[in-house]
Amino acid sequence: MNNNYSLDILSTVLDSAYEGIVVINHEGKIIHFNEAYCRFTGIKIEDALGQHVTKIIENTRLHHVLKSGIPERGSLQIINGQEMVVHRIPIRKNDQVVAVIGMLIFEGVSELYKILEKHQQKAKTRLANTETKPLITLEQIIGKSEKIADTKQLARKAAKTLATVLITGESGTGKELFAQSIHLLSPFSTGPFVSVNCAAIPDHLLESELFGYADGAFTGARKGGKPGKFELANEGTLFLDEIGDMPLAMQSKILRVLQEKEGTRVGGVKPYRTNTRIVAATNKSLEQMVMAGTFREDLYYRLNIIRLHIPPLRERKEDIPLLLAHYMEEVCQKYNISIKRLTNTALVELLSYEWPGNIRELVNIVERMISLVDKEDISASDVSLLFNQSTISQSLSIEASDLAKAPLTIFSERKKEMKLEERDLIINVLIETNGNKAKAARKLGIHRSTLYDKLKLHDITM
Ligand SMILES: Nc1ncnc2c1ncn2[C@@H]1O[C@H](COP(=O)(O)OP(=O)(O)OP(=O)(O)O)[C@@H](O)[C@H]1O
């Protein structure tokens, strides 16, 4: 390679670098000053070249490095009134310092902090997501029916924008799964996914849960205050589940945050910015609620920008065999038993069922089939027995056989006992999970809102 050619390559590399680069010779005169440096300082190349570096770059130390020969990495230097991160590297030939390279690494320290913050945020998200279950992708949502394929296609399109999505559908149809997969396909996918079940949080706590509270906001408040879900979901997705259960007073506050992208902690004065993608879900008819005056019309329009309706399972029965196969395998693996099969007539029985509780109910039925039927082949009569026992309910219920045999007094005694058993069970699981209600609900195999209802019923405060 001839000398001129390699010098051309070197100049191109230096000029295309994102960092500002300046090179001085053994006299301290500038022999290279790249475009990034020009852009940042506003000094033209021709004005810089050949000049002593101290005349061109303020607060420079390149001439000192020329003398000392000691590199200075990651130093701070004020240029154009900004604190900049710089490296100063001496170049030696035959033990003599013949030149020094100066590099302006970032456009400013504030940018460095921003990058650091971003990394910390990502690490936090990773941690948060590994502590709980990993989020579900669109591909993991089971279903090949035309209805679910159309829904997935719309979800994919919606995800690419940052528009608010309102997911509607009956309970147990998979609204939360769709919300998670929208987040994973969205421009905010590297940010956090924060889920709030509006029905599960008592009204008086909802505001501080959503907006956080300031230091000393109320007696017993955590020192330093606590961030709310809007703050936690910054640069991520906030999933407002069961939005139809949001009290009217809180609806106005949510509307304000959506409009102004600013929130204020309870007891706080300084508002914070929140750049969050909102996905809301409900199994209620918000249109009817608007007409009845129980849901704000302006909030409804604000949320209903992209509407994603998840069809109930009875309208996409083609998906039932796939879902059954998936969950039968999963449950058998969980209990470490060999895979059980459904006979054809059992499948017909399951297909003819209306599934009012949708996929959540299907998952529960599979759990019960696997744990209660000892045989390898599950028959139609096993299935109808399970349905007849009205075991579909998520709560701990009295067995149908008990119900038929028992005189009324025994029945109410048993009911009391079972209530106590249920209370003990919930308390034990809450102790095991250190009071983490989401984990406790998962362990108990019930929905979080059901757990909150039960906490209220049994008067458990934890
Ligand atoms: N298409 C699907 N493929 C696999 N599992 C599914 C699917 N849809 C739902 N599920 C499962 O069904 C259960 C209920 O799903 P999810 O919580 O998303 O429903 P939901 O509509 O948000 O219910 P709710 O309105 O009661 O909050 C979960 O266990 C979920 O994993």
Side-chain angles (χ1 to χ4, degrees):
M1 221 191 301
N2 74 36
N3 239 359
N4 281 347
Y5 183 59
S6 27
L7 280 176
D8 279 352
I9 293 183
L10 191 64
S11 302
T12 315
V13 171
L14 292 178
D15 274 337
S16 52
Y18 170 71
E19 297 83 8
I21 295 174
V22 58
V23 185
I24 58 167
N25 66 9
H26 63 285
E27 294 173 315
K29 290 188 176 159
I30 295 177
I31 53 169
H32 197 93
F33 196 72
N34 79 346
E35 282 181 18
Y37 230 127
C38 293
R39 269 198 309 277
F40 181 70
T41 55
I43 298 165
K44 291 191 191 131
I45 292 188
E46 55 270 29
D47 294 339
L49 290 179
Q51 297 293 330
H52 196 270
V53 69
T54 47
K55 287 195 185 150
I56 301 296
I57 300 175
E58 41 176 330
N59 302 314
T60 184
R61 285 186 45 83
L62 289 178
H63 54 301
H64 291 300
V65 174
L66 191 65
K67 273 196 205 139
S68 68
I70 302 168
E72 296 178 357
R73 291 177 196 275
S75 308
L76 295 181
Q77 182 177 334
I78 294 180
I79 310 177
N80 281 0
Q82 288 186 50
E83 230 180 345
M84 308 300 296
V85 177
V86 295
H87 292 334
R88 304 178 187 109
I89 299 153
I91 310 225
R92 290 171 191 276
K93 202 172 176 189
N94 303 329
D95 260 356
Q96 291 283 310
V97 179
V98 290
V100 180
I101 302 184
M103 284 186 202
L104 206 59
I105 298 305
F106 292 98
E107 280 172 6
V109 171
S110 59
E111 178 144 338
L112 192 65
Y113 286 139
K114 265 191 230 155
I115 291 169
L116 195 69
E117 244 172 48
K118 232 182 187 169
H119 279 287
Q120 281 172 342
Q121 182 66 36
K122 273 191 191 170
K124 252 194 244 159
T125 312
R126 251 180 269 128
L127 204 69
N129 289 344
T130 47
E131 268 172 10
T132 57
K133 275 176 150 182
L135 300 179
I136 295 289
T137 64
L138 211 53
E139 285 67 37
Q140 286 170 290
I141 296 184
I142 299 164
K144 291 247 178 311
S145 60
E146 206 178 315
K147 283 200 169 179
I148 209 75
D150 288 349
T151 315
K152 281 188 184 186
Q153 201 180 349
L154 181 57
R156 199 168 277 120
K157 274 194 200 152
K160 301 283 180 230
T161 72
L162 280 179
T164 304
V165 181
L166 177 63
I167 307 180
T168 55
E170 291 175 12
S171 181
T173 44
K175 296 186 291 298
E176 173 137 26
L177 297 194
F178 271 92
Q180 293 180 5
S181 47
I182 287 174
H183 168 72
L184 290 179
L185 285 172
S186 80
F188 278 165
S189 61
T190 52
F193 176 84
V194 177
S195 173
V196 186
N197 187 323
C198 307
I201 302 172
D203 289 4
H204 65 284
L205 292 183
L206 202 52
E207 185 171 0
S208 58
E209 275 293 308
L210 289 171
F211 302 106
Y213 58 76
D215 194 5
F218 45 84
T219 354
R222 195 201 283 177
K223 200 161 174 7
K226 189 180 164 222
K229 304 288 185 191
F230 274 99
E231 280 172 276
L232 295 173
N234 194 31
E235 304 281 322
T237 303
L238 179 61
F239 176 50
L240 296 173
D241 199 5
E242 310 209 24
I243 187 87
D245 290 84
M246 175 81 67
L248 267 169
M250 198 49 60
Q251 290 176 26
S252 337
K253 294 194 171 158
I254 300 245
L255 181 67
R256 211 169 313 131
V257 185
L258 298 190
Q259 281 168 341
E260 291 162 18
K261 291 193 171 289
E262 258 185 18
T264 311
R265 289 186 180 184
V266 174
V269 275
K270 217 171 115 221
Y272 53 81
R273 295 288 298 162
T274 166
N275 189 19
T276 303
R277 203 272 175 83
I278 305 287
V279 177
T282 182
N283 53 22
K284 296 195 169 152
S285 161
L286 292 188
E287 292 77 6
Q288 275 177 14
M289 290 183 69
V290 167
M291 277 194 291
T294 49
F295 200 86
R296 286 186 69 121
E297 192 175 6
D298 40 11
L299 179 60
Y300 167 73
Y301 286 119
R302 193 86 202 184
L303 295 173
N304 194 29
I305 303 208
I306 299 178
R307 176 70 156 256
L308 194 71
H309 179 71
I310 319 293
L313 196 49
R314 65 183 168 280
E315 286 178 17
R316 44 175 166 128
K317 290 202 165 177
E318 313 91 284
D319 293 338
I320 294 176
L322 289 175
L323 286 159
L324 287 169
H326 171 82
Y327 280 110
M328 285 189 59
E329 195 180 329
E330 191 180 280
V331 174
C332 289
Q333 269 171 9
K334 187 169 92 181
Y335 294 131
N336 206 13
I337 50 176
S338 56
I339 304 272
K340 297 193 180 197
R341 280 186 306 262
L342 286 166
T343 63
N344 279 346
T345 47
L347 186 59
V348 171
E349 183 84 9
L350 289 162
L351 282 169
S352 65
Y353 184 59
E354 287 293 285
W355 299 105
N358 293 292
I359 302 164
R360 181 174 297 113
E361 184 183 2
L362 181 140
V363 180
N364 284 344
I365 281 286
V366 168
E367 282 261 0
R368 302 191 75 96
M369 283 194 303
I370 302 291
S371 24
L372 297 180
V373 181
D374 287 331
K375 300 167 292 170
E376 218 164 73
D377 286 334
I378 299 170
S379 67
S381 53
D382 296 325
V383 171
S384 17
L385 201 70
L386 282 172
F387 281 132
N388 290 340
Q389 281 178 336
S390 69
T391 47
I392 299 148
S393 149
Q394 285 184 333
S395 43
L396 303 175
S397 57
I398 291 171
E399 302 242 328
S401 50
D402 264 2
L403 194 67
K405 281 184 260 151
L408 220 57
T409 43
I410 299 176
F411 173 66
S412 57
E413 278 305 305
R414 178 97 174 91
K415 208 170 161 186
K416 251 191 242 157
E417 272 171 34
M418 293 210 61
K419 211 174 149 189
L420 285 175
E421 276 171 28
E422 184 174 272
R423 190 173 195 278
D424 288 348
L425 176 66
I426 293 173
I427 290 174
N428 285 340
V429 174
L430 277 170
I431 290 169
E432 271 172 43
T433 59
N434 283 330
N436 183 325
K437 304 203 176 60
K439 275 190 192 160
R442 258 201 310 280
K443 269 195 143 199
L444 289 162
I446 57 177
H447 197 267
R448 257 177 304 162
S449 50
T450 313
L451 176 62
Y452 279 97
D453 288 345
K454 287 187 183 294
L455 293 180
K456 228 184 260 168
L457 176 79
H458 295 297
D459 203 16
I460 304 172
T461 42
M462 249 186 157

